[in-house]
Amino acid sequence: MNHEILFAPHAGRRLRAGVVGAGEFGASFIYRSARAQGLAVEAVADPDTARAVAAARRAGVARERIRVCTNRAAALDAHARGEFVVVEDVSLLVPLPLDFVVEATGDPEAAARSALAALGEGRHVAMVTKEADCVAGPMLQAKANAAGLVYTPVDGDQPSLMIALVSWARMLGLEVVCAGKSGEYDFVLDAAAGTVTSTATGQALQRPEFAALWSVPAARLASCVTTRAQQLAQLPRATVPDTCELAIVANATGLAPDTPALHAPIARTLELPELFRPQAAGGLLSGEGRVDMFVCLRRPDELSFAGGVFVVVRCDDPATWRVLKGKGIPVSEDGGTALLHNPVHLLGIEAPMSLFNAGLLHAPAAALLPRCDLVARAARAFAAGSTLTIGMRHAVDGLAPEIVDAAPLADDAPLPYYLAAGCRLRRDVPAGAAITPAMVEAPADSALWRLRAEQDAHFFGRAR
């Protein structure tokens, strides 16, 4: 697609955006917007105003143009004078005459409040915070649609990129057997040293025997990934964000996980068309139309797939796929399935494209329906009174993520992961138990819990 031609009818129009959260993604987006055609970030909200100022300065905004404002009147006045506005709270950002609010806090409760505030002021919403999207994204999009606004995930993060790849394949009439992503980090085999190293932690395991598991015939591959997992059990594999992202893709595409905890094999890129297909064909899956992930196994001199996305499609034209295999496209040994992939995600660098599509073409990156929920299962025992606190990598220590069919909240039904996060337990929870609403003290004034209740009523006709 030639994007310059696509957007040529809108030449001269500039989308005005405000960013909530000046962390890694937000700062990247602020920098790129200063150089992208037709987009300008004019305000940032972050409790750490020094961080927001630093992000603006990094993007090239002169210090004398940046105004830190502590009230609505000051923010409106500074914006009217053409100054770059920095505020602590989203309530001071959304009244500004912006087209878009980009929510990039990574905090599910804050993201729900930001999105509701933005929609209430007539602003489109670009949602980077997947932790809120997987709980109540369909409801936020329904609210936006009702108001004639756009609510969209963004390119630069894997859900939007996966959805784009699936939609592209479907438009071409390709049958998607499985869609998915690589985990954020690779396992790197150094056969000479006899080590396997995780790029997540830098931890290296002495595994001289692992080299024998590098090149495996297709007929033995499914069993081989079990052996790989056993030998590298000390290294972390799937993360909560990985599972969260796949739940969003399931809601957008109708694809579903094959198993609630995912297969998440340790695999080389070339092995994916052998693994992500039905068991009857030698793969891992019980059926087709699935979502899953893998941990990329590679040599030190090979390109990383970390954070990339893929689809495995059925090869319905053997002659053409034989030609493509000769050109380097990974195709299964029997010629039945092939891998098509995008090996990178570029954070805020490519996120502006989602705003152009949504703001100029009124085309969100996804149409969301509540098909799946990301829920929590206790990986260890918890005592009554424990608080399920979010820690590193947006995970609660001791809670394992799973993807299940979406259902309204009920006392004995699994509770969405990011509704459980931050709650205090009412009672002891044994290892292996699914966390349910009856087990936790629901927060008294949570925008995310209210949104989820609205979503249940809107799509299922009932709420807890």
Side-chain angles (χ1 to χ4, degrees), residues 4-382:
E4 291 174 318
I5 293 175
L6 179 66
F7 293 113
H10 306 280
R13 180 169 175 200
R14 187 181 70 165
L15 295 174
R16 301 161 301 169
V19 175
V20 187
E24 188 178 74
F25 198 109
S28 172
F29 179 82
I30 293 164
Y31 184 94
R32 186 50 43 197
S33 74
R35 290 147 184 83
Q37 301 176 34
L39 175 65
V41 170
E42 298 179 349
V44 180
D46 195 302
D48 184 350
T49 57
R51 182 171 76 161
V53 169
R57 293 288 295 116
R58 191 180 103 190
V61 181
R63 182 62 184 88
E64 57 271 20
R65 275 198 60 227
I66 302 172
R67 188 72 57 211
V68 179
C69 302
T70 58
N71 59 68
R72 178 184 176 124
L76 288 168
D77 180 65
H79 187 270
R81 293 200 309 269
E83 294 177 325
F84 189 98
V85 177
V86 171
V87 295
E88 287 188 356
D89 190 81
V90 69
S91 64
L92 303 181
L93 181 141
V94 294
L96 303 178
L98 305 168
D99 298 301
F100 263 98
V101 170
V102 179
E103 212 305 318
T105 62
D107 180 319
E109 177 63 24
R113 292 182 182 275
S114 295
L116 287 171
L119 294 174
E121 291 282 354
R123 315 299 177 220
H124 302 304
V125 174
M127 181 58 77
V128 180
T129 303
K130 52 186 169 282
E131 295 80 6
D133 207 8
C134 72
V135 175
M139 191 65 235
L140 285 167
Q141 190 169 70
K143 284 178 174 289
N145 292 343
L149 299 168
V150 176
Y151 171 93
T152 184
V154 295
D155 289 352
D157 217 352
Q158 291 97 322
S160 181
L161 297 175
M162 269 186 276
I163 294 162
L165 194 54
V166 169
S167 67
W168 173 84
R170 286 172 168 172
M171 285 292 291
L172 294 175
L174 294 168
E175 182 182 347
V176 176
V177 178
C178 185
K181 56 165 288 182
S182 170
E184 293 290 330
Y185 307 103
D186 298 340
F187 289 173
V188 181
L189 171 65
D190 185 332
T195 61
V196 179
T197 302
S198 167
T199 60
T201 62
Q203 180 182 5
L205 301 180
Q206 285 291 329
R207 294 291 186 271
E209 70 281 10
F210 198 87
L213 304 175
W214 173 259
S215 183
V216 180
R220 290 181 44 226
L221 194 53
S223 60
C224 174
V225 296
T226 301
T227 307
R228 288 174 180 170
Q230 291 168 344
Q231 291 202 13
L232 302 181
Q234 292 172 253
L235 300 179
R237 285 197 288 166
T239 66
V240 180
D242 291 327
T243 317
C244 174
E245 289 167 345
L246 290 168
I248 294 169
V249 173
N251 283 339
T253 63
L255 302 174
D258 197 55
T259 179
L262 307 175
H263 291 289
I266 300 166
R268 298 169 61 199
T269 300
L270 295 175
E271 295 170 345
L272 300 188
E274 303 285 0
L275 291 170
F276 288 123
R277 61 184 193 159
Q279 295 166 3
L284 299 173
L285 307 178
S286 63
E288 300 186 353
R290 303 295 196 248
V291 291
D292 216 303
M293 64 160 290
F294 78 109
V295 179
C296 180
L297 176 65
R298 63 176 176 86
R299 298 190 309 262
D301 61 346
E302 288 186 303
L303 181 69
S304 171
F305 200 134
V309 301
F310 69 88
V311 290
V312 171
V313 300
R314 183 168 299 287
C315 298
D316 55 359
D317 177 6
T320 296
W321 286 104
R322 279 195 296 272
V323 173
L324 292 175
K325 185 174 184 178
K327 294 179 179 294
I329 298 297
V331 177
S332 63
E333 189 177 279
D334 67 1
T337 46
L339 172 74
L340 304 173
H341 67 288
N342 174 0
V344 297
H345 72 293
L346 301 177
L347 301 176
I349 290 177
E350 58 185 330
M353 295 306 303
S354 299
L355 273 70
F356 293 142
N357 285 325
L360 301 178
L361 306 180
H362 211 77
L368 302 170
L369 291 172
R371 296 180 169 105
C372 288
D373 277 327
L374 177 74
V375 299
R377 187 174 296 278
R380 59 175 174 82
F382 286 87

Side-chain angles (χ1 to χ4, degrees), residues 388-408:
L388 303 174
T389 304
I390 296 182
M392 294 294 293
R393 297 292 301 152
H394 305 274
V396 176
D397 182 45
L399 288 190
E402 295 183 345
I403 304 175
V404 300
D405 289 343

